[in-house]
């Protein structure tokens, strides 16, 4: 098992990024590596970090403005070679069809439920791969 996993968190809202960090803790499950976060508040910052590589999972806020996480997800799935798994944060459960359209690997609703979020993130870390 690798020593740390890198999770990119995209949201224009610092409170949402904090919810993700707090829900994850040091590691989302005992059988996955400790997590290191890279926080981004803009789409250009997300693309720059993905271009550098080494991201194990992306967490994208579907409610972010001006570039929503679901649109960002669809864009990076089309444009990033070996795109890491993506977890989308939805504003409401009825938006699950949009998460499917965006090709997200998983989706949870806001506000972040710590148990559901940690379980979902751990699942992606177990099956994910680092972007080259």
């Amino acid at each position: 098992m690798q020593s740390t996993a890198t999770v990119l968190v995209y949201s224009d809202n610092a409170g949402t990024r904090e919810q993700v960090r707090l829900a994850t803790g040091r590691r989302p499950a005992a059988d996955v590596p400790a997590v290191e976060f890279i926080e981004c508040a803009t789409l250009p910052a997300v693309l720059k970090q993905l271009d550098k590589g080494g991201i194990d999972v992306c967490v994208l806020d579907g409610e972010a403005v001006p570039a929503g996480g679901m649109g960002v997800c669809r864009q990076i799935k089309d444009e990033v070679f070996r795109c890491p798994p993506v977890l989308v944060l939805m504003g409401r459960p009825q938006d699950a069809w949009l998460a499917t359209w965006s090709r997200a690997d998983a989706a949870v609703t806001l506000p972040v439920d710590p148990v559901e979020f940690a379980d979902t993130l751990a699942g992606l870390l177990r099956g994910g791969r680092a972007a080259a």
Side-chain angles (χ1 to χ4, degrees):
M1 175 167 60
Q2 65 191 49
S3 59
T4 61
T6 303
V7 176
L8 182 143
V9 182
Y10 164 65
S11 178
D12 66 318
N13 184 326
T16 300
R17 295 191 307 266
E18 181 181 34
Q19 284 182 47
V20 168
R21 284 193 323 271
L22 293 174
T24 305
R26 292 183 54 174
R27 67 177 51 197
D31 64 333
V32 298
V35 172
E36 181 178 290
F37 293 100
I38 295 176
E39 294 185 33
C40 299
T42 65
L43 176 57
V46 170
L47 298 176
K48 181 178 178 181
Q49 290 299 324
L50 287 171
D51 191 43
K52 288 181 182 179
I55 304 296
D56 294 293
V57 174
C58 294
V59 177
L60 307 177
D61 180 3
E63 304 301 305
V65 291
M70 292 192 205
V72 172
C73 179
R74 189 161 175 100
Q75 178 179 348
I76 66 175
K77 289 289 188 173
D78 284 341
E79 297 177 1
V80 175
F81 181 67
R82 292 190 182 148
C83 183
V86 177
L87 169 56
V88 171
L89 305 174
M90 304 177 296
R92 45 192 202 131
Q94 296 88 343
D95 292 337
W97 73 273
L98 282 170
T100 301
W101 168 85
S102 74
R103 293 187 288 212
D105 298 283
V108 297
T109 56
L110 288 167
V112 173
D113 174 279
V115 174
E116 177 189 21
F117 182 83
D119 286 346
T120 304
L121 180 61
L124 292 176
L125 288 169
R126 286 182 197 108
R129 64 190 184 286

